[in-house]
Amino acid sequence: MQLRFSPIIPTIASFLLAALWGLSVFAGWGLKAFCEGGEAAGACSQRLGTVSTVSALFAVLAACCTLAAWLLPWSRQDPRAFARLMGAGVLAWIAAEGVLFLGGLLVR
C-alpha cells in the first residue's frame, strides 16, 4: 500500500514554519515572548540574538532543502527524492523553531 499526499501540504507547512521563525526573529515576537519584564532588556536581547544566530543555521538548511525539492529537476521527477527533501526541510524548520524556543527559555 502506497500512501500518496499532495506536494503542496509539506510546502505550506514549510512556509508557515518559515513565517513563524521569521516573525519570531525579525518582527520582535521572540523579544516580546522572552525578554519582557525581569532583567535589563539589552542583555536579554543580546543573548536572544545569539540564540537566533544558532537557530538561523537550521533555518538556512531548511530553506535550502525546500528550494532544492522544488528547483532541482531530479527531485521533481522522483517522488521519493522530493518527499525526502521536503521532509528534511520541515524537520529542519522544526529544529530551528525548537532551538529558538529552548534558547529563549534559557535566556530568561
Side-chain angles (χ1 to χ4, degrees):
M1 177 177 170
Q2 186 174 4
L3 196 61
R4 291 219 170 247
F5 60 91
S6 173
I8 203 70
I9 293 170
T11 303
I12 290 173
S14 186
F15 283 137
L16 289 174
L17 288 167
L20 177 63
W21 184 85
L23 290 170
S24 296
V25 172
F26 298 115
W29 285 14
L31 289 173
K32 186 95 169 148
F34 298 114
C35 292
E36 287 259 326
E39 65 177 275
C44 182
S45 175
Q46 187 177 17
R47 290 193 309 264
L48 191 61
T50 304
V51 170
S52 297
T53 302
V54 174
S55 177
L57 298 173
F58 291 101
V60 168
L61 175 65
C64 288
C65 286
T66 303
L67 285 174
W70 280 103
L71 297 179
L72 295 177
W74 58 266
S75 173
R76 284 183 286 136
Q77 294 169 356
D78 182 11
R80 291 179 69 196
F82 182 84
R84 285 183 181 148
L85 279 171
M86 285 303 294
V90 169
L91 288 176
W93 278 122
I94 292 170
E97 297 289 346
V99 166
L100 194 59
F101 178 74
L102 292 177
L105 289 177
L106 291 174
V107 162
R108 262 188 193 184

